[in-house]
Structure formats: C-alpha cells, structure tokens
Amino acid sequence: MENLQKYLSTSVLAEILENAFQWFVVVDADSKILYINKDYCSFLEVKREEAIGKPVADIIENTKMHEVIKSGVPDNASPHYIKGTYMLANRVPLFIDGKIVGAFGSVIFRDMSDWKRLSSHVRNTMERIQLNIEDNSYTEYRLGDIKGTSPAIRKIKETIEIIAPSDLPVLIEGESGTGKDMFAHSIHQLSERSDYPFVKVNCAAIPPELLEKEIFGVLDHNNGTLRNGRYKQADKGTLYIDEISALPLTLQAKLLRAMQEEEITPLNSESSEKVNVRIVVSSNVALSKLIEEKKFRADLYYRLQAITLSIPPLRERMEDFIDILNYFLQKFMLKAGRRHVTLATKTREILQSYHWPGNVRELQNILQATVFLAENDIILPSALPSQIKLSNVPSFQTTGTLEDILAEVEKKVLQSYLEEESDKIRIAKQLGLSRSTLYEKIKKHNL
C-alpha cells in the first residue's frame, strides 16, 4: 500500500475509485458512509457531500452493509431490491489487524436482466468449450484435406462444391473409418454458415436416455435455468449428427418436427424457440435397410436423403492408396521428429494387398505406430500388426499327401519371414525354433 501511495498520486487513486466499479460505497464500523462514487449518488438522487457521514441505511434502501459488519461474512452476488428493481451486489467486510473496520459494497449488475443475459452468454460459452473438449476429434477440415483423385472421390468433391452454399440437409453414408467427419466439415467450410458454429453430436457415443436433452436442451424446474442442447448451440451454423442410425425413434420424430418447423422445444419445457440450422447427418449403415427393419422413420429418411454422399471404403478406391499413405507418412514423420523414414518394398506390398476393414482410419493408426517403431529409418514388415502380416501369408497347395502339404506350408512361411527379416536369431525366436533347427530347415528347402 505504501508503494501505491508512493507511485500513484491522490488524483489518480480518486480516478480509479470513481471508475473501478459501476456503483460502490465504503462504510466504517458504525455503518456510516466514508466514500461513495458519483454514479451511485446520481442513481440515488443524492449529493455526495450530503451522503458522506450519514448512516448507509438512510441513503441506500434495503442495505445489508450493517449485517456484513456484524457477521464479518461476505455477502456476494446477492439480490438487492432498490428503487423498484432487483440488482446484484457484493458486500465485503474490511479487516485491519484482525478487526472489522468497515465494509465495502459494490453493485455488479444494475438490472437483473443484465445478469440473466450474461449468465446465458457464459453458460452457452462454457457449453461450447465443454463440447469441444468432449469432441476432441474436431478439426476444421477443408475439401483440399481429403486426399484422393479416384473417380468416386472426385465426384463427391464436385457435389460438395455445388450443394455446400445451399441450406439443404445432407446424408453421408459410409463404413466406419472412411472419413465422414471430414466431408461434413468440408460442407460447412464451403457454406454461407462457415463463420458460425459447427456442432457435432455422436448418437452412438451418448446413452439413449440422455440424447434428448443433449440435442434439444433441458429446462431445470428447480431453478428455472435452461441448458441449451447441441441444436441451439449450432444456431446459424451447422448441426452434424453423427451415427444418426443410433437415434431412438421418438427422437427421430422430434428431429423431423424441428427441421420442418425450424424450432425446438427443450425437455421439460412447454415453450419453443426458433433455431436456424443446417442439418448434416452420417451413418455407417444404409438407412434404407433400417427402414425395412422398422428401426428408422421413412419420413425422416426422405427428408434427409435428397442429397446423399456415399463414401466408398478404402479397398474400393485403392488408386488413392499411395496418395493417402504418403500424406500420413509425411505427417507422422514430422510429428515424430524424423526426417527420412521410408517403407521397405515388402512392407509397401503388404499394405497394398491388405483389405483394410477399418478403412482410412485404420491405415492412419497403423502408419503412426510404424513410424515410431521404424528401425534405421526403414519400416520393415516386422513393424506391422500381426493381422496385416497374416493376411499376406502366401497360399499353398491343398492336394497331395499330408507330408507334402505340410512341407510346402513350412517352406512358404520360412520364405515369407526371410523376406521381411534378416536377423535369423529373431526369426527363430518368433517361430519358436532353436537357431540350429532353423538353419536345418532353411537348408532343407534350399532357401
């Protein structure tokens, strides 16, 4: 405090006191006003010189400053009814050497509606922050981030460029791991809504009993507060409903109604509100099949399917494989801080012959692991997961005597291991053989 007095003049301190808070008052231990700023005096319609020295209760109606002085307990964010309206105020006791010498009071909000607006803003902001924390996969993908020049991918990209500026709903169908999120983000980024929120909800990741309030929001009857759902959070932007096939039939009806009427009704609420969103949905199963099984509403499907993007699995667009592989290889090399990591010829052949049931996501995960496991900057087949190596085991004859068939299998397996691994001690260990037995078998098969 001495330093403050040394470096700040009386006039500067007075200016700080006048403007640090909208309205504030300081009282002594007897609840008499020591200081009150001009703005507060103007609101109270009293001259400052008349207020100073008077009991605070004579100047400010319904004040609780005397109660704070008596109890020594702060009274923060407390409603204060004054001049026909509720305000929000803080009242804090002042201590010197452990003794209460007075109290400080400030008005935080001059009108409760100000508080409600800010409270709503803060709540919405925190929901957005929590949403992004929960959905850690969110990235602002653009069309150029989708790798591949196959006819199927080119056609999808061209379609997105045409329909993105519209507000038409879009259905994206494709197996898990095909990159449906990237296509959804790309639609948003190319739309007129790109400056507004892109909000995702994964129906398969949220328990069915929680989905309604997660999507449409919920009104808390206990305190009257409204928690906005993802639909409201996406207002003016895009709502991306991932794995819509997991949405219960009752909520499918509510979603259809929201799309048609452009308004939502939160859970426990009887009032609706207008919401302007563009709907993009995705599914890893064909919704038309679910309609036949009575698991998806036909009317919602017809509302969504006018623009359907069918993302092909990786095995059906292997002409894009090298582009995608090289992209991820470069990405993970940079991430791992390695400059010259290459794929052994045999490794590349194994990857290209694999059927990729997990699609692009599986390739991405495998390449990330193998870059870190690469020895001497070369990714050998030994760095690949067993399910990929096993899928590349060569075929063998099924005719002849059992002895001939087993000999052929033994030769093919040994040949496969020798092609991907030069260390025979390691091969012997992997096959559960002694080194001498391995050498005998290599000699036997002239390998």
Side-chain angles (χ1 to χ4, degrees):
M1 190 65 185
E2 291 178 0
N3 286 339
L4 274 178
Q5 294 172 336
K6 180 178 179 181
Y7 293 108
L8 296 177
S9 65
T10 304
S11 60
V12 172
L13 287 172
E15 189 70 15
I16 291 172
L17 287 172
E18 284 299 312
N19 297 287
F21 300 91
Q22 290 179 338
W23 299 335
F24 78 95
V25 61
V26 181
V27 302
D28 62 18
D30 296 321
S31 299
K32 291 182 179 179
I33 296 175
L34 294 174
Y35 193 95
I36 185 169
N37 69 338
K38 286 182 180 179
D39 284 350
Y40 207 172
C41 289
S42 297
F43 170 74
L44 296 169
E45 298 178 332
V46 63
K47 293 181 179 179
R48 179 152 56 177
E49 54 270 23
E50 294 175 357
I52 292 176
K54 295 280 183 70
V56 68
D58 293 350
I59 303 299
I60 304 173
E61 62 177 304
N62 299 317
T63 184
K64 295 182 180 178
M65 298 288 279
H66 59 288
E67 295 178 9
V68 169
I69 292 171
K70 184 178 179 180
S71 68
V73 178
D75 182 29
N76 290 321
S78 175
H80 183 177
Y81 188 77
I82 182 171
K83 296 187 73 172
T85 186
Y86 276 102
M87 302 174 181
L88 213 59
N90 282 342
R91 305 173 185 94
V92 182
L94 300 175
F95 291 86
I96 294 180
D97 297 328
K99 182 181 178 181
I100 295 178
V101 296
F104 171 87
S106 63
V107 173
I108 312 171
F109 293 106
R110 294 174 291 187
D111 189 318
M112 290 296 282
S113 61
D114 288 343
W115 172 79
K116 288 177 182 177
R117 282 192 292 269
L118 182 62
S119 176
S120 175
H121 170 72
V122 170
R123 188 165 59 250
N124 290 342
T125 301
M126 292 306 296
E127 285 172 355
R128 289 266 172 85
I129 292 170
Q130 186 61 31
L131 175 65
N132 287 333
I133 291 171
E134 291 169 358
D135 181 19
N136 54 24
S137 64
Y138 178 80
T139 306
E140 289 190 350
Y141 292 115
R142 287 174 167 76
L143 207 57
D145 296 321
I146 299 171
K147 304 303 174 185
T149 56
S150 61
I153 293 300
R154 282 206 312 269
K155 184 178 180 181
I156 292 171
K157 288 182 178 181
E158 290 168 1
T159 302
I160 288 175
E161 289 177 331
I162 294 169
I163 59 94
S166 73
D167 281 339
L168 294 169
V170 180
L171 167 61
I172 305 173
E173 291 187 335
E175 294 179 6
S176 294
T178 50
K180 296 185 291 294
D181 284 15
M182 296 182 71
F183 292 93
H185 289 145
S186 299
I187 292 168
H188 175 72
Q189 293 297 337
L190 285 173
S191 74
E192 302 292 330
R193 299 171 179 265
S194 59
D195 291 333
Y196 295 97
F198 177 94
V199 178
K200 174 184 174 181
V201 57
N202 187 331
C203 298
I206 301 170
E209 64 272 16
L210 301 180
L211 265 173
E212 182 172 5
K213 68 178 182 181
E214 198 63 40
I215 296 175
F216 297 103
V218 60
L219 178 66
D220 189 334
H221 283 319
N222 294 324
N223 54 28
T225 58
L226 176 65
R227 178 181 178 270
N228 288 326
R230 308 288 176 97
Y231 210 112
K232 177 62 177 177
Q233 291 168 16
D235 195 19
K236 298 181 181 178
T238 301
L239 176 64
Y240 172 44
I241 305 176
D242 190 18
E243 304 302 352
I244 195 172
S245 55
L247 190 67
L249 287 167
T250 53
L251 294 188
Q252 290 177 28
K254 190 165 184 175
L255 174 61
L256 177 62
R257 193 160 56 247
M259 292 176 66
Q260 290 174 338
E261 299 173 6
E262 296 186 345
E263 63 181 27
I264 58 170
T265 304
L267 184 64
N268 299 335
S269 175
E270 295 181 358
S271 59
S272 59
E273 58 179 321
K274 289 289 183 182
V275 183
N276 175 17
V277 300
R278 199 250 185 96
I279 300 292
V280 177
V281 305
S282 71
S283 176
N284 61 5
V285 295
L287 295 184
S288 56
K289 287 187 64 178
L290 295 181
I291 293 173
E292 296 174 6
E293 299 169 3
K294 308 296 184 184
K295 294 179 180 178
F296 202 85
R297 292 180 63 104
D299 48 4
L300 178 58
Y301 173 70
Y302 295 131
R303 177 82 182 187
L304 295 169
Q305 59 82 44
I307 298 175
T308 300
L309 303 179
S310 298
I311 314 302
L314 181 57
R315 63 184 173 275
E316 291 180 9
R317 59 178 184 115
M318 288 302 288
E319 58 263 61
D320 294 331
F321 184 82
I322 297 301
D323 284 346
I324 298 171
L325 183 145
N326 289 337
Y327 168 75
F328 284 130
L329 196 58
Q330 292 297 319
K331 176 182 176 180
F332 296 130
M333 279 168 51
L334 290 172
K335 193 172 181 180
R338 306 183 71 167
R339 293 185 178 182
H340 304 292
V341 177
T342 58
L343 290 166
T345 302
K346 182 64 176 178
T347 307
R348 190 177 292 266
E349 290 173 358
I350 293 173
L351 291 174
Q352 285 185 277
S353 63
Y354 184 56
H355 61 291
W356 298 107
N359 293 294
V360 176
R361 185 187 296 131
E362 185 182 12
L363 173 61
Q364 177 181 346
N365 293 336
I366 285 171
L367 284 176
Q368 184 171 13
T370 55
V371 165
F372 282 93
L373 294 171
E375 298 179 9
N376 301 319
D377 291 337
I378 298 176
I379 300 176
L380 298 171
S382 56
L384 298 175
S386 58
Q387 78 271 14
I388 293 182
K389 289 188 289 187
L390 288 173
S391 70
N392 195 60
V393 172
S395 58
F396 51 86
Q397 67 182 41
T398 56
T399 58
T401 66
L402 180 59
E403 184 179 358
D404 291 339
I405 293 173
L406 291 176
E408 179 67 15
V409 171
E410 184 178 78
K411 179 180 179 180
K412 295 271 187 173
V413 170
L414 285 172
Q415 194 171 26
S416 177
Y417 270 84
L418 289 168
E419 285 177 355
E420 62 180 71
E421 178 63 70
S422 58
D423 189 337
K424 293 183 176 60
I425 296 176
R426 185 177 294 182
I427 293 174
K429 186 176 181 181
Q430 290 175 341
L431 292 174
L433 302 173
S434 66
R435 186 168 52 175
S436 59
T437 301
L438 175 64
Y439 278 105
E440 287 175 7
K441 292 182 180 293
I442 290 174
K443 184 177 181 182
K444 171 186 170 183
H445 295 294
N446 296 317
L447 297 175

